[in-house]
Amino acid sequence: MRKFILLALVALTLFSATAVFGADAPAPKVVNSGDTAWMLVSTALVMLMTPGLGLFYAGMVRRKNVLGTIMQSFAMLCMVSVIWVLWGYTLSFGPDKGGVIGGLEWFGLSGVGQEPSDYAPTIPHLVYMMYQGMFAIITPALITGAFAERMKFSAMMLFSALWLTFVYSPLCHWVWGGGWIGAKLGALDFAGGTVVHINSAVAAIAAVIVIGKRKGYGKVPMPPHNLPMTITGAALLWFGWFGFNAGSALTSGGLASVAFVTTNTATGMAAMAWMFVEWVHRGKPTALGIASGAVAGLVAITPAAGFVTPMSAIIIGAGAGVVCYTAVSLRPKFGYDDSLDVIGVHGVGGTWGAVATGLFATVAVNSAGKDGLFYGNPGLLLTQLIAIVSTYVFVFIASLILLKIVDMIVGLRVSEEDEANGLDLAVHGENGYDFET
Amino acid sequence: MRKFILLALVALTLFSATAVFGADAPAPKVVNSGDTAWMLVSTALVMLMTPGLGLFYAGMVRRKNVLGTIMQSFAMLCMVSVIWVLWGYTLSFGPDKGGVIGGLEWFGLSGVGQEPSDYAPTIPHLVYMMYQGMFAIITPALITGAFAERMKFSAMMLFSALWLTFVYSPLCHWVWGGGWIGAKLGALDFAGGTVVHINSAVAAIAAVIVIGKRKGYGKVPMPPHNLPMTITGAALLWFGWFGFNAGSALTSGGLASVAFVTTNTATGMAAMAWMFVEWVHRGKPTALGIASGAVAGLVAITPAAGFVTPMSAIIIGAGAGVVCYTAVSLRPKFGYDDSLDVIGVHGVGGTWGAVATGLFATVAVNSAGKDGLFYGNPGLLLTQLIAIVSTYVFVFIASLILLKIVDMIVGLRVSEEDEANGLDLAVHGENGYDFET
Amino acid sequence: MRKFILLALVALTLFSATAVFGADAPAPKVVNSGDTAWMLVSTALVMLMTPGLGLFYAGMVRRKNVLGTIMQSFAMLCMVSVIWVLWGYTLSFGPDKGGVIGGLEWFGLSGVGQEPSDYAPTIPHLVYMMYQGMFAIITPALITGAFAERMKFSAMMLFSALWLTFVYSPLCHWVWGGGWIGAKLGALDFAGGTVVHINSAVAAIAAVIVIGKRKGYGKVPMPPHNLPMTITGAALLWFGWFGFNAGSALTSGGLASVAFVTTNTATGMAAMAWMFVEWVHRGKPTALGIASGAVAGLVAITPAAGFVTPMSAIIIGAGAGVVCYTAVSLRPKFGYDDSLDVIGVHGVGGTWGAVATGLFATVAVNSAGKDGLFYGNPGLLLTQLIAIVSTYVFVFIASLILLKIVDMIVGLRVSEEDEANGLDLAVHGENGYDFET
Amino acid sequence: MKKIEAIIKPFKLEEVKDALSAINIQGMTMLEVKGFGRQKGHTELYRGSEYVVDFIPKIKIELVVADDMVEGVIKTIEKTAWTGKIGDGKIFVSSIEETMRIRTGERGEIAL
Amino acid sequence: MKKIEAIIKPFKLEEVKDALSAINIQGMTMLEVKGFGRQKGHTELYRGSEYVVDFIPKIKIELVVADDMVEGVIKTIEKTAWTGKIGDGKIFVSSIEETMRIRTGERGEIAL
Amino acid sequence: MKKIEAIIKPFKLEEVKDALSAINIQGMTMLEVKGFGRQKGHTELYRGSEYVVDFIPKIKIELVVADDMVEGVIKTIEKTAWTGKIGDGKIFVSSIEETMRIRTGERGEIAL
Ligand SMILES: Nc1ncnc2c1ncn2[C@@H]1O[C@H](COP(=O)(O)OP(=O)(O)O)[C@@H](O)[C@H]1O
Ligand SMILES: Nc1ncnc2c1ncn2[C@@H]1O[C@H](COP(=O)(O)OP(=O)(O)O)[C@@H](O)[C@H]1O
Ligand SMILES: Nc1ncnc2c1ncn2[C@@H]1O[C@H](COP(=O)(O)OP(=O)(O)O)[C@@H](O)[C@H]1O
C-alpha cells in the first residue's frame, strides 16, 4: 500500500521544484511504524524472559523452595520496572557525565517522550527506554540463581535495588550509554554479553563467596524437583531472546534478521554440543543438559549476534556448549555453591561470547561494527579483553561491598531451620503444590 | 508518524501543479504495514491472555478442579471465537442503532474485509475485528473465577453465550462502538476498564449471589494446588497485556509506546504495593500476593494506559495494590464466595482505574483524550462516574436475569457429590494429574 | 529503511528528469520494515510452537516418560536449527533442479543475505530462510508423538536428520521451492497442510508399523500424567500458529489478516465440534477433547488459511472436529499404536484441510490463489488430490526405508526393561519430578 | 497400644480430624492412598475412548492409641466418615508393641 | 484376619491387581512408596555430575483378608509380581484384630 | 520379626538412612505422609487471609527386621532423627508373622 503512495508522490514531485530535506542533512528522527512495531514486540519478548528465567530456575530447586525461587525473578520484574523509570534509565542513558555515569536530567522520565532519541532515531524514546528497562530487569534476576535456596527475600530485594543503582547502571552507561567502554574504548557488545551476562555472573561470584553453601551441599543430593518446568523456562528464554538479540538492532530489517539467525543457530548448536559432550562423558544425553546448552548458546551469541555470520555462530555455539559444560561439571570440585550455575553458564558463556566477538566480528555483516581477529584486526580482541577484565574487577569489588552492607543491615541468610523447612513456608508462608484435595 | 511525513510531502506537492488529495479531505484509509504488524501481534498477545488466565485461575483451585477451571477459559476462547465472527462483532461495532446497539449488517463478517475501516484507518478491518474479538473472549472467561469449583459446565457455556450477546455486546457498543457512553457522554476507557473489568466483576457479583458458596467454604481450608502455575499464568497475562493496552492505540508509534510504559510501570508498582502491604499486615511477602498485585495493576491501568503519564501510572499502580489487597483480605468478612476474587481484583481495580482516569488523564499525553481533575477538568471525573455507575446497574440486572434463566433451563450448580469429588472427574471424566506410573 | 527510500526519492526528485522506476517494471525488492517486523515475529511464534508441542505431547504420556517426550521436540528445535542453515534450506529452496530438489548453491547460507529474495520481495532473505526453518523444525517433532514412550533417543535423532534431508527437503521443494507440486501442478498449500501435517502423519504411519506397540498397549491403561501441561501446550500451539498461518502471507497486511481470522475461527469451531461430539458420544465434554479439537482445527485450516473466507473456515473447522474425533476414537480398533494420535489428528486433519482448500478456495480472498469446487472450479480439487496422494506415496516409502536403515544401524526401540522403567531414567538418567524434598 | 488404620473418602478428612481432636486425640498420621473395593472405580475418557480406573483416591489415617481409646476412636471415625454410600471405607485395628517419642526418648503410652 | 503388605515393582501393579481380583479379593489399598534394598539404586545425572539415588519407586499393596486366604494371596502376588531380577520386592504378613466397614458398621471378617 | 515404623522430619531422611545402612540394615521402605500432633501446624497465607494447616509433611520409614535388631534400629533412628524440637516424630514397633522375598520365594528372616 505504502509503496503506491510513495510512487504517487514521486510522480508528483517530478513536477515540483523544491526538496523537503537535503541528502546531506543529518538523518531526520522520525518514528517508523515498522521499526516501532518490532521494538514494541521485542520489549515484550524480553519482558517474558524474566518469568521464563523464574521457571528455568525454579524447576531446578527442591520443591520446598519453588516459590521462593520463582518469586525472586518475578519480584525483579516488579521492582526494577519502577526503579528504572525513576532513576535507573537516567543513570544509565541520561546525558553523559565524563564517560562514567548518566546525569539525573531524565529522572522520572522527564524529557523522555514519544519522539525518537539519538539512541534510536526511528522509534519513540519511550520504547527505547522500556526496551532497555527489560535488560535491567533480567540482569539482577540472573544473579538469584547463585544464592537460591538460602537467601533472605528482604536481603535479596535490598541488594538488587542497590546493585541496580551502583553496579548495573554505571556499567550499562559505560557500554551503551555513551560511557568509556563503548563510546571511547570501542568494545563491541551487541546485546549484553558484558552488561548482562558477565555482569550478573561476577556478582554471583561475590555472592556465593559471601553467603556460603547450602546446608548439606555436596553431601545430600539436591535433585531438581520439576524438570519439565525448567525446560519450559528454557523455551521461553529462547523465544524471548529473539527480542533480546534481534531487537538490539533497534530497527526492523537486515540487521535484525542477521541477529535473529545467528541467535537461533548458535543456540541450536550449543545445545547439541552440550548434549553430545555429556553423552560421551556420562553415557546419557540429558534433558537438563540440552536445555542448559541452549541457554549457554544464547548467552554466548549475545554480544556477537549482530556482528558475525551464521557460520561463525555455529562455531560460537559449539564452543559455548563445550566450555560451559566443562565449567559446570567441574563445579563440585570448587568449594563454592553456585546453586544453579550462574557462573558456569553466564560467566563462562558470556566471556566466551565477548572473546568470540573479538575473533569473528566482520563489517561485512554490520558496517557499524568492526572486523575481528579472524578478519585481520587483532586490535578488537584486545579491546574486548580490556572490557571483560574491567567488568570483572569493577563488578566484583562493587558487588562485594554491597553484599557486606546488606548483610550488616538485614542479614543475607535465612536461619538454618528456615532453610531446612524451605523458603516457601518459612519466608513466604505458602506451599508450592498441594495435590491432595 | 509516517503519516506526518507523507502529509508533509503532500503539503509540498501542493505547490506543484496537482495535489493528490487535499489537506482538508479526510485522511485516506490505507493499510500501513507497521501498524498492521503491531496489531496482528497485539491480537495474538491478547489471545494468549485467556489461556494465561486459565493457568492463573486453575493454580488457585484444589487439585480436583484443575481441569474444570482451566477448561472454562479455554472453552471461552473456542466458543466466543465463533460467536464473535457470526453476531458478536456486528452487535458491538456494526452500524449504530440509536446509540444502543450495532446493527446486524455485518453478520457473519459480511462487509468486513481487508480494507481499513473507520475504526482504525491504517489496518485491515479484519484485524480490528479480530483484535476486538480477543477482548470479547477474555471478558466472560474472567467471570468464571467467581463461580469456580461448583458451576455446571453446560450452564457456564449457555450463560456465557447469552451474556456475550446481551451484556457484553451492548456495553461494548456503548463505550467503543459509537454508543452513548463513548461517543455521546465522552467517558474515557482506553483499553477496557469498563468494558472488560468492571463488566466481568459485576457479572461475578450477580453470579456469586445466585449460585451460593462452595460446600465447606469458610470452614475447611481450600488451598491453591499449584502456585507456580498461577504465577506462570500471571506472567502470561502481563506479557499479553502489552497487546491489550498498547495495542489499543491501534497504531504503532508514540501512543502505543506510552501505553506500553504506563502498563508496565503501574503493574510493577501495584505488585510491590500489594506485596509490601501484605508483608506489613501478615508478616510475610507472598508469591500469590505479588502475582495478584501485578494483575490488579494491569487491571487498574487499563482504562488509563493511553491517557496518563508514567509518573501517574506509578500512583495508579500503588493505589491498585493497596485497594485490591484490602478488598480481597476483607472478602472472608462478606458472606459471599467469590472463589478467585474476581470482584476484589477486577471490580475494585477496574473501578479505581476508571476513576483514576478521571483524575490523571492529560491531553499532553494523548491529544485525542481529555484532561482529568488534576489537570483542571473536574468534568471528566463526573463523566467517568456516570459511566461506571451505569455499567454497574445495567450489568448487574442483566446478568442476574440471564443467570436465573440458565438456572431454570439447565441448573447452575453441580450436585453435592460431584462437587465433593471434583469437577474434573464428575463433569469431564478426567483426572488432572497422574504421577504414579 | 523507509527513511532511505524517502531520502532517495527526495534526492532523485531534485533532478526531476527521470522516473525512478516505471510502473511496468517488476516490483523492486526493497525491505519493508512493517513486513519484516511481522515476519520476524512470525518466525519467533513458529519457533515457540515446537516446545509448545513438547508440552502438548509430554502431558499425555506417563510420568516416567515426560522428559523423554518433551526432549524429543526440544532436540528437534536444536538439531534442525543447525541442519537447516547448513544444507536443509538450500535443498528445499535453493535454485531448482528439474522440479525435484534445490541445488547446493546456498549451502551454509552462502548467498542468503540481508537483501530480499524472489520468495518474498519485501523482507530480508535471511528472515524468509529462518521462517521456513521453523517449519522444518516442527515437522519431524510432530512425528515423535507416534512412537512416544518406546523409541531410542539415538534412533530418533538419526532418523530425524535423515528424514529431514531425504523426505522433508524434497517435499518442501516440490510444494514451495519451485518444484513440481506447487509451481507446475499448481496445488495450493498456504501454510503447510501437505508439507507439514500430511508429511509428518504419513511418516508416523510408517513408524508405528515398523516400531510396534508399547508393551501393554490395549491391556493396561496409559493415562495422561499431566493434562494441564497438555492444555498449556495446546494454547502455545494456537498462539504460535498465528505466525505459522498468518505469517505465510509473508507480508503484513490484508492477506495476513484473512489468514489470522480464518485460523482463529476454524480452531474455535473445531474445538467446539470435537467437544460436542464427544459429549454426545461419551456423555462428557473433556479438557483433552477441546484441546485436541483445537489442534485439529489448526491443522485443517493450515493449507486453506489464506484462500478461504471466515465463513468457510467455520465449516472447515467443524469438519475437522468431527472427522478427527472419529478417527482417534476408532484408533483402538486398528491394530497400531500411534501413541499420541499423530495420524488421527495431523493425517486426517491435514488431508481434510487439503481437500477443503480444493472446495472452498476463492480468488475473492486471495488473487494469487484459485477458485475451488464451490466457486465453480472442480479442477483445483483434482489438483489437491494428486498432491495429497503423491505425498502419501512418496513419504510412506521413503520413511519406511529410512526407518529400516536406522533400525539396522542403532536399533529403533529401547529394551523391554527400559520401557518398563521409563525413558527418563533409562535413557536420560533423570527423573521428571521430585516432590518429596 | 493399638494402631487404628482408617481408609476414608478424601473430602471427609477435615471433619474426621476435627472430631478426633475433639475427643482428645493428640497425634495422627495421614497419607494419600488409592483404594480398590466394592465401589467399582469409574470410567475416564481419553480421546473418545473409555477406560476403567479401578483405584479411587482415598485417605488413610493412622493413629496409635492406648487400648482404652480404641472404641471411642472407631466410633468417632465411623460417625464422621460415614456417608452411607459404597466406598465409605474401612477401619483396621492391630497391636503395637512399643512406641518411642524421638524427641524425648520416652517409651510406651506416654510417648503417644 | 491378616494384613498382607506387598512391595512390588510399579509396572507390575496392574497384573497383580487383576490376579488378585481373579481369586476373589474384593478390596485392597495401594500407595506409592520408595524402596531401599539390595537393588542398589541408580545414578542420576545433573549437569555433568552423577549422584546416586538410593530410593527406588515401588508400589505397596495392603490387603486385609481372612486367615484362610493368606496363602492364596501370597502365592498369587509371588507369581504375578515376579520378574526374577533383584528388587522384585517383599511380602509381609501381620495380624489384624478388628475390622469395621464404615458404611454399615459391620465388624470382623464380614466387613472385609 | 518386627516392623518398625518411624515418622521423622523430611530433612532428616538422608541422615537416618545412612545411619541405618551403617548398622547393616539392608532394606527399608519410605513414604511421604502428613502428620498431626503436638507440633501444631503452621499458618499459611492466601491473599491477606491466614489459615492454619494442621498437617505437616513428614517421612515415614518402615523396616522389618529380626527381633534382635529392633533395639539397635530404634536407637539409631532416635539418635539421627533427633533435633530436640517438637515434631521430631515417633517410632512404633509391631509384630510381623511372615515374610517372603518375591524374587526367590524365600520365607522368614532370610527374606529380609
Ligand atoms: N480387604 C481390604 N484390605 C484393604 N483395604 C480395603 C479392603 N477392602 C476395602 N479396602 C479399602 O476400603 C475402601 C472402601 O472399600 P469399598 O469396598 O469400596 O467400600 P465399602 O467400604 O463401602 O465396603 C477401598 O477403596 C479400599 O481402599
Ligand atoms: N527389611 C525391609 N523392610 C521393609 N521393606 C523392605 C525391606 N527389605 C526390602 N524392602 C523393600 O523391598 C524392596 C525390594 O527389596 P530389594 O532388597 O531391593 O530386592 P529383593 O526383594 O529382590 O531382595 C525394597 O525396595 C524395599 O522397598
Ligand atoms: N498417636 C499417634 N499416632 C500416629 N502418629 C502419630 C501419633 N502421634 C504423633 N504422630 C506422628 O508423629 C509426628 C510428630 O508428633 P508431634 O506430637 O508433633 O511431636 P513429638 O513427636 O515431638 O511429640 C506427628 O506429626 C504425627 O505424624
Side-chain angles (χ1 to χ4, degrees), chain A residues 63-418:
Chain A
R63 177 235 169 108
K64 64 185 173 187
N65 297 316
V66 58
L67 296 178
T69 303
I70 212 172
M71 191 172 168
Q72 291 183 331
S73 288
F74 202 88
M76 284 305 100
L77 173 56
C78 300
M79 185 173 72
V80 180
S81 285
V82 179
I83 292 181
W84 188 251
V85 299
L86 288 177
W87 67 83
Y89 182 66
T90 194
L91 286 179
S92 303
F93 291 93
D96 178 60
K97 307 293 170 196
V100 175
I101 195 74
L104 287 173
E105 286 88 338
W106 296 347
F107 184 92
L109 299 188
S110 125
V112 178
Q114 303 188 25
E115 294 308 306
S117 68
D118 288 334
Y119 287 114
T122 60
I123 62 174
H125 195 176
L126 279 169
V127 177
Y128 181 77
M129 180 283 301
M130 197 75 262
Y131 180 66
Q132 289 297 339
M134 296 306 173
F135 285 65
I137 285 166
I138 199 169
T139 309
L142 286 169
I143 309 173
T144 65
F147 48 64
E149 305 202 292
R150 59 199 184 282
M151 193 167 185
K152 273 191 189 169
F153 182 72
S154 55
M156 193 277 303
M157 293 295 275
L158 181 57
F159 169 69
S160 300
L162 293 171
W163 190 85
L164 195 91
T165 309
F166 296 110
V167 182
Y168 184 86
S169 294
L171 185 65
C172 179
H173 183 77
W174 299 351
V175 179
W176 291 331
W180 69 274
I181 292 183
K184 271 133 231 176
L185 183 63
L188 295 183
D189 185 1
F190 193 71
T194 323
V195 179
V196 175
H197 298 291
I198 297 180
N199 193 1
S200 58
V202 174
I205 298 176
V208 298
I209 292 175
V210 175
I211 207 166
K213 301 178 207 179
R214 284 168 291 176
K215 204 171 139 51
Y217 177 70
K219 274 169 246 148
V220 302
M222 299 175 168
H225 91 285
N226 194 337
L227 283 177
M229 180 184 275
T230 291
I231 295 168
T232 304
L236 290 181
L237 283 171
W238 190 330
F239 176 61
W241 224 294
F242 291 130
F244 202 90
N245 283 4
S248 288
L250 302 176
T251 49
S252 167
L255 186 57
S257 321
V258 170
F260 197 112
V261 173
T262 55
T263 298
N264 195 67
T265 307
T267 304
M269 190 63 223
M272 298 308 286
W274 182 306
M275 188 186 80
F276 280 114
V277 175
E278 186 167 32
W279 203 340
V280 169
H281 180 216
R282 290 292 182 190
K284 284 175 180 160
T286 66
L288 180 59
I290 199 169
S292 304
V295 174
L298 288 162
V299 168
I301 197 64
T302 292
F307 300 122
V308 302
T309 67
M311 291 306 108
S312 299
I314 291 185
I315 303 171
I316 294 174
V322 174
V323 300
C324 293
Y325 176 79
T326 308
V328 307
S329 68
L330 290 175
R331 169 168 54 80
K333 304 250 160 82
F334 295 104
Y336 298 109
D337 178 11
D338 174 14
S339 312
L340 309 176
D341 290 306
V342 180
I343 302 165
V345 174
H346 298 273
V348 174
T351 302
W352 160 240
V355 169
T357 306
L359 302 174
F360 295 102
T362 162
V363 292
V365 164
N366 183 344
S367 58
K370 296 182 179 178
D371 278 328
L373 180 66
F374 296 159
Y375 292 84
N377 174 21
L380 181 60
L381 186 59
L382 189 68
T383 307
Q384 296 296 98
L385 289 172
I386 297 173
I388 294 167
V389 173
S390 316
T391 305
Y392 279 9
V393 173
F394 167 67
V395 176
F396 183 75
I397 295 173
S399 301
L400 212 58
I401 295 171
L402 294 179
L403 284 159
K404 292 287 185 191
I405 292 174
V406 173
D407 198 12
M408 283 184 326
I409 303 177
V410 291
L412 289 174
R413 202 165 166 151
V414 298
S415 72
E416 274 206 20
E417 204 187 334
D418 283 358

Side-chain angles (χ1 to χ4, degrees), chain D residues 25-30 62-65 101-103 111-112, chain F residues 7 33-40 56 58 85-90 92:
Chain D
I25 290 300
Q26 306 235 354
M28 68 184 105
T29 300
M30 174 272 271
E62 297 186 353
L63 356 54
V64 177
V65 297
R101 166 174 289 129
I102 292 172
R103 174 165 46 96
L112 291 177
Chain F
I7 291 155
V33 299
K34 301 240 165 149
F36 173 84
R38 271 164 198 78
Q39 181 191 2
K40 266 302 171 230
I56 299 164
K58 300 279 174 192
K85 300 227 182 69
I86 283 189
D88 276 351
K90 312 278 179 189
F92 302 119

Side-chain angles (χ1 to χ4, degrees), chain B residues 270-285:
Chain B
M272 298 309 287
W274 182 307
M275 187 186 82
F276 280 115
V277 175
E278 186 167 32
W279 202 339
V280 169
H281 180 215
R282 290 293 182 189
K284 284 177 179 159

Side-chain angles (χ1 to χ4, degrees), chain A residues 7 10 13 32 252 285 287 365, chain C residues 2 9 13 21 33 114 428 430:
Chain A
L7 284 172
V10 167
T13 51
N32 172 300
S252 167
V365 164
Chain C
R2 209 204 38 250
L9 287 174
T13 52
F21 28 74
S33 67
Q114 303 187 24
H428 304 291
E430 294 172 292

Side-chain angles (χ1 to χ4, degrees), chain E residues 7 33-40 56 58 85-90 92, chain F residues 25-30 62-65 101-103 111-112:
Chain E
I7 292 154
V33 300
K34 300 241 166 149
F36 172 85
R38 272 164 197 76
Q39 181 191 2
K40 265 301 175 230
I56 299 165
K58 300 279 174 191
K85 300 227 183 71
I86 283 188
D88 275 352
K90 312 277 180 189
F92 302 119
Chain F
I25 291 299
Q26 306 237 353
M28 67 184 105
T29 300
M30 175 271 272
E62 297 185 354
L63 358 53
V64 177
V65 296
R101 166 173 290 128
I102 293 172
R103 173 165 47 95
L112 290 178

